Amino acid sequence: MASGQLRSGLRYVAAVGMALAITGVLLLVDVALAPATVAMVYLLGVLVIATAAGIGPGALTSGLCFVCFNFFFVEPRYTLHVESQQNVVHRATFLAVAVIASSLAARARAAAGQAQRQATELNALYQLSQAISAEVDLEQILPAIAATTRELLGVPLCAILVANQAGQLAERAQAGQPAPSHKLIQVPIRDGASVLGILRVAEPAPGAGLSAAQLQLLQTLAAQTRLAIDRARLVEQTAHNQALGESDRLKSALLAAVSHDLRTPLAIVKGAATTLLAEGVS
């Protein structure tokens, strides 16, 4: 959380620095530039900051550039006094264009960031589905799911608990280390009405929780986990049924061998008894 606040503060420092740097450069070449050119240079700086740092720093740069433009380059110079209605229109137009450009650039940056995050999530989910389809051992699948969940959500901890035959939950995989000050968020791994396990994560920062998009992604990962558990149990049940079938086949073969071994002496005994019971035998 502290690192996020530091990055946010640096963006606003960059916004102030951009306005001051442009003003300094323009003052050095002031005699060669018309007010319209000065305004365009300021707008370029606003676009750069809004695109790189977001709408907040972009709005700050817009305000600072408006003040600097008005103070240093609009007559009467070195004052904020408005001399004519035309200058009022010019300044208001500059401020409106700067704010609108800042907002549009920030929205474009946010949309690009969202698209990049979605592409990353889709690629990670695709890789995870490929890993799940290629592996049937839960001891190999569940750690991969936990690591992917921790990476996509940016959380310090992800753990997967699976219910055994008695219905008791036991931890089968964990990625990361628990943080005592971070609240745990749990999503059940359901198969219809039954609960197969729990997908548990720690919030990214104390009190931060998860956004709606992150909760939806967590639900998707829980569904992937359910598929992995169902597939592993289906393979285990199939192997068990095959073992039972092989056992029945061996039992039938053993009984056939025993009956074959007993058939010859039984035939001899029957033949001898038949001979003894014949009328011509004294």
Side-chain angles (χ1 to χ4, degrees), residues 46-80:
V46 170
L47 288 175
V48 170
I49 290 296
T51 303
I55 189 169
L60 176 61
T61 307
S62 300
L64 291 176
C65 288
F66 169 74
V67 172
C68 293
F69 175 61
N70 186 22
F71 187 83
F72 290 104
F73 301 101
V74 177
E75 298 295 340
R77 304 180 68 172
Y78 308 111
T79 177
L80 297 178

Side-chain angles (χ1 to χ4, degrees), residues 24 37 45 79 81 101 103 113 127 146 172 186 228 261 268:
T37 305
T79 177
H81 175 68
S103 177
Q127 296 295 334
R172 298 287 296 274
Q186 300 186 148
D261 291 341
I268 295 174

Side-chain angles (χ1 to χ4, degrees), residues 30-229:
D30 181 19
V31 294
L33 297 177
T37 305
V38 173
M40 294 300 294
V41 175
Y42 274 124
L43 287 176
L44 178 60
V46 170
L47 288 175
V48 170
I49 290 296
T51 303
I55 189 169
L60 176 61
T61 307
S62 300
L64 291 176
C65 288
F66 169 74
V67 172
C68 293
F69 175 61
N70 186 22
F71 187 83
F72 290 104
F73 301 101
V74 177
E75 298 295 340
R77 304 180 68 172
Y78 308 111
T79 177
L80 297 178
H81 175 68
V82 179
E83 187 177 51
S84 65
Q85 291 183 351
Q86 185 177 4
N87 285 338
V88 172
V89 174
H90 289 168
R91 298 174 197 183
T93 303
F94 172 80
L95 181 60
V97 171
V99 171
I100 293 173
S102 172
S103 177
L104 292 177
R107 290 182 181 181
R109 175 180 180 271
Q114 179 67 19
Q116 180 63 36
R117 286 190 297 270
Q118 290 179 348
T120 302
E121 291 175 3
L122 289 176
N123 181 64
L125 290 174
Y126 173 76
Q127 296 295 334
L128 182 61
S129 65
Q130 291 294 103
I132 290 175
S133 62
E135 183 63 61
V136 297
D137 186 7
L138 285 180
E139 300 303 323
Q140 300 293 329
I141 297 175
L142 296 182
I145 295 176
T148 301
T149 302
R150 179 172 178 262
E151 179 182 355
L152 288 179
L153 296 179
V155 295
L157 169 71
C158 177
I160 300 177
L161 290 77
V162 179
N164 55 23
Q165 296 296 332
Q168 298 175 337
L169 293 173
E171 186 176 294
R172 298 287 296 274
Q174 176 177 313
Q177 296 298 325
S181 59
H182 292 225
K183 179 184 176 182
L184 295 178
I185 301 171
Q186 300 186 148
V187 172
I189 304 170
R190 295 185 179 275
D191 186 8
S194 61
V195 177
L196 302 180
I198 288 177
L199 184 60
R200 176 185 296 165
V201 299
E203 58 184 354
L210 294 178
S211 65
Q214 288 177 317
L215 287 175
Q216 184 177 4
L217 179 59
L218 190 60
Q219 293 283 356
T220 302
L221 291 165
Q224 290 284 339
T225 308
R226 176 186 63 81
L227 293 176
I229 295 175

